[in-house]
Amino acid sequence: MDQFVVSGGARLRGVVQVAGAKNSVLKLMAAALLAEGTTVLTNCPAIEDLPLMADVLRGLGCTVAIEGDVVTIDTPAELSHVADFPAVSRLRASVAVLGPLMGRLRQARVALPGGDAIGNRPLDMHQNGLRLLGATMTIEHGHVVGSASELRGAQIELEFPSVGATENLLMAACLARGVTVIENAAREPEIVDLAVMLTSMGARITGAGTSTVTIEGVRGLTPTTHRTVGDRVVGGTWAYAAAITRGDITVHGVNPAHLAAPLERLVRAGARITSGEDWFTVVMDRRPRAVDFITLPFPGFPTDLQPIALALAAVADGHSFVTENVFEARFKFLDELVRMGADARTDGHHASLNGRETLSSAPVWATDIRAGAGLVLAGLVADGDTVVNDAWHIDRGYPRFVEDLVSLGATVVRRAAPER
């Protein structure tokens, strides 16, 4: 287990390039199961979850090669429908193979996945949607199990705009007979990215990026080459890093429209922002003003940036009120922030923070990907060296995190944790 040692006091300045989105590329890899042949994905991030997803696909019969930012997936004519091996249990995104397996093979047995401990993420909507398409779905001995003689188009209304359920049902419906309409669908840019790839494979999809997605089933799909959309969460992390450290950072590789809500909060906090088609610059030359945050599905403020927003609130001038509406366990992060002297308290899915100009260095523990990044950013404005333990969480979502921080002027060292 590695740890990061973060020295406080640096103002981050410079340019950073963002790679493809973690929340997209893993689902794009799963979509390759829908077509026999060679699928090529470019602009893929060098994160720990990528080889894990490659192992999931290999376990189903694919050949997967990762070279730089390119992932090549050879999908055979004969696939296994059983995803039950170590990589599945370690990776939440492995559930994304459920839709493609049901769409192509009409059967699937997928071990219930692992992932970040950020709250309850049941598969009810995935299963209920597949049932409406004609499948029999059960949970048996720690697996989600599905079978169908055929899948037929259906009208599906999601109880909540779940990204995972929208993705699985979108992929399954591509090879169903007839027309499927998904109401209250997730609208995230990663959904649009998946739909663009599926359309290039021969799928017929309209409405991606809106709350109503229509899929006209086709008999078969063909492999494609696709460029992964830029990672808005990583881009947002760098935007908030500039504000927290009173710095000046230009971010390339992300469409600023995908970060409209987070960037708007930074403007309210006092940042100056300029932007182009796939870049933006955040300049903060004063202590940020306190602002409130409410996490919501896209186009609202993303839950993945909530820990980063809490780090900003901890050092802002004034009182901030943060409401978490997506994952109930996200506030575990605050326990670690309080170790660093943050004046914060929680009440259910609300958090209240009185900002302090400087935090105190302390040993802290990352509990998930975004919490880990938030603790590193908090360490940049602490009064000494902060040790962030369990750095492997950060590796799952942020490629070259230490290298990029150092290039922006931070003093951050990665080292092996001492034996206990």
Side-chain angles (χ1 to χ4, degrees):
M1 292 296 180
D2 286 356
Q3 55 189 203
F4 293 162
V5 181
V6 186
S7 299
R11 287 187 168 183
L12 301 189
R13 300 177 183 275
V15 178
V16 66
Q17 178 72 39
V18 173
K22 168 191 179 295
N23 290 339
S24 188
V25 69
L26 304 178
K27 320 304 174 58
L28 303 177
M29 292 173 71
L33 296 170
L34 287 165
E36 178 186 351
T38 302
T39 295
V40 179
L41 302 175
T42 65
N43 195 36
C44 298
I47 54 175
E48 290 296 316
D49 277 6
L50 200 73
L52 277 178
M53 193 63 176
D55 285 343
V56 171
L57 297 186
R58 291 184 186 113
L60 294 170
C62 298
T63 300
V64 185
I66 303 173
E67 298 180 5
D69 70 344
V70 178
V71 175
T72 304
I73 303 164
D74 289 312
T75 303
E78 299 294 330
L79 278 174
S80 171
H81 73 280
V82 179
D84 182 11
F85 29 85
V88 177
S89 61
R90 292 175 57 193
L91 182 65
R92 175 69 192 185
S94 62
V95 76
V97 305
L98 179 62
L101 291 177
M102 288 300 299
R104 184 168 168 198
L105 304 181
R106 304 296 192 257
Q107 58 179 336
R109 183 180 182 88
V110 181
L112 293 175
D116 287 332
I118 56 176
N120 189 28
R121 300 196 275 188
L123 298 180
D124 291 355
M125 284 185 281
H126 304 243
Q127 294 184 81
N128 290 339
L130 289 168
R131 289 187 184 109
L132 290 172
L133 292 174
T136 299
M137 305 297 302
T138 58
I139 299 290
E140 300 176 8
H141 308 293
H143 298 74
V144 57
V145 180
S147 64
S149 56
E150 69 170 353
L151 296 182
R152 301 176 301 278
Q155 188 86 16
I156 302 171
E157 183 168 358
L158 299 179
E159 298 174 11
F160 176 85
S162 161
V163 173
T166 301
E167 290 164 338
N168 259 327
L169 297 174
L170 176 61
M171 289 187 279
C174 285
L175 296 179
R177 182 166 60 85
V179 176
T180 298
V181 178
I182 305 174
E183 298 282 2
N184 199 27
R187 301 163 58 188
E188 275 72 2
E190 295 79 18
I191 297 291
V192 177
D193 196 33
L194 176 60
V196 169
M197 175 178 168
L198 292 170
T199 300
S200 72
M201 296 171 71
R204 297 174 182 171
I205 301 168
T206 57
T210 75
S211 58
T212 301
V213 180
T214 302
I215 309 103
E216 182 182 348
V218 297
R219 296 187 65 178
L221 298 175
T222 57
T224 190
T225 296
H226 177 79
R227 179 179 174 84
T228 310
V229 70
D231 197 317
R232 62 193 173 101
V233 178
V234 174
T237 300
W238 293 124
Y240 276 67
I244 290 168
T245 66
R246 307 184 199 182
D248 180 346
I249 299 177
T250 297
V251 179
H252 286 281
V254 179
N255 183 345
H258 295 167
L259 285 165
L263 294 179
E264 183 272 339
R265 305 317 288 173
L266 287 184
V267 171
R268 291 197 180 196
R272 291 182 283 114
I273 298 177
T274 55
S275 63
E277 184 177 349
D278 65 348
W279 66 271
F280 59 86
T281 298
V282 176
V283 179
M284 179 72 84
D285 49 20
R286 59 183 298 277
R287 185 181 177 190
R289 292 189 294 268
V291 292
D292 296 337
F293 298 90
I294 301 174
T295 66
L296 290 167
F298 189 85
F301 193 93
T303 184
D304 277 354
L305 284 177
Q306 184 247 79
I308 316 301
L310 289 174
L312 176 72
V315 295
D317 184 9
H319 175 267
S320 299
F321 196 70
V322 181
T323 301
E324 173 57 52
N325 286 315
V326 182
F327 291 129
E328 69 278 3
R330 281 280 193 201
F331 285 143
K332 288 181 180 179
F333 167 74
L334 267 185
D335 293 337
E336 302 305 304
L337 209 55
V338 168
R339 287 177 184 265
M340 300 180 67
D343 182 359
R345 56 197 52 84
T346 60
D347 180 11
H349 62 114
H350 303 288
S352 176
L353 296 92
N354 292 308
R356 291 180 169 169
E357 189 151 4
T358 304
L359 297 175
S360 301
S361 57
V364 291
W365 279 261
T367 55
D368 64 70
I369 299 170
R370 312 307 173 184
L375 290 171
V376 170
L377 298 191
L380 293 172
V381 287
D383 62 357
D385 290 345
T386 295
V387 178
V388 180
N389 293 285
D390 292 342
W392 62 272
H393 282 293
I394 301 170
D395 297 336
R396 292 182 49 228
Y398 290 86
R400 293 180 45 83
F401 195 51
V402 170
E403 293 86 347
D404 284 339
L405 282 166
V406 170
S407 76
L408 293 170
T411 301
V412 182
V413 176
R414 184 185 189 117
R415 71 184 186 192
E419 294 185 7
R420 296 179 184 177

